[in-house]
Amino acid sequence: TAVNLSDNSCNVWSRRCVQVSMGHCINVPSVRVSNFSKSIQKLNAQFQVTSYAAVIDKDADMVLDKIKQGEISKNWCLVLGNEGNGISQTVVESCNHRIRIAMSDSVDSLSVGVAAGILLHSLREREMSFYS
């Protein structure tokens, strides 16, 4: 329902972002926050949002294909990092969970766009109230 951007994220209104989103960036509210970690903590505490940090770590506490229907609360957010550096440790620690996509041992990571599509769709599909 909204996009939070860290102060070092790309410009949501850049020509490339508008083009790649096919203009949908106009329909989704976005806000740039100066302290992303504190923003996540506030979502968790004040608004009861469950936050998921997308990681490639083998020891992540959640693996996407092991999450069952109804195990994801209706209020959640997904935190994605850039393809080179991922998510800062401070932001990961602010999230409730670290989530990863199970992949073949011969694949070390996915592009952030592909991972975002898989994770967003799958989390939405596994929400408590998605089918009710």
Side-chain angles (χ1 to χ4, degrees):
T1 56
V3 175
N4 278 3
L5 300 160
S6 64
D7 57 1
N8 61 348
S9 292
C10 66
N11 179 356
V12 72
W13 300 111
S14 72
R15 181 179 61 85
R16 181 80 172 135
C17 286
V18 173
Q19 179 184 12
V20 170
S21 74
M22 296 179 62
H24 287 287
C25 61
I26 295 166
N27 298 325
V28 179
S30 64
V31 61
R32 186 171 299 276
V33 295
S34 60
N35 189 322
F36 202 74
S37 181
K38 286 192 184 202
S39 175
I40 295 297
Q41 291 170 2
K42 186 173 185 176
L43 285 172
N44 295 341
Q46 190 171 346
F47 300 103
Q48 292 76 47
V49 171
T50 304
S51 53
Y52 301 91
V55 298
I56 60 172
D57 309 341
K58 294 285 185 190
D59 65 342
D61 62 309
M62 298 184 87
V63 180
L64 184 61
D65 62 349
K66 302 215 184 296
I67 301 170
K68 295 183 180 16
Q69 170 62 40
E71 290 184 351
I72 302 299
S73 72
K74 189 173 181 175
N75 297 321
W76 57 269
C77 75
L78 176 65
V79 178
L80 299 157
N82 69 32
E83 292 176 19
N85 301 316
I87 305 167
S88 74
Q89 190 60 36
T90 306
V91 173
V92 169
E93 290 170 1
S94 297
C95 293
N96 300 109
H97 300 283
R98 294 179 310 132
I99 189 170
R100 72 178 175 90
I101 300 168
M103 295 181 282
S104 167
D105 289 337
S106 62
V107 177
D108 62 331
S109 65
L110 300 170
S111 73
V112 72
V114 170
I118 292 169
L119 287 163
L120 289 170
H121 173 77
S122 297
L123 288 171
R124 175 78 171 116
E125 190 175 59
R126 289 165 172 82
E127 279 181 13
M128 289 180 192
S129 62
F130 185 73
Y131 291 110
S132 54

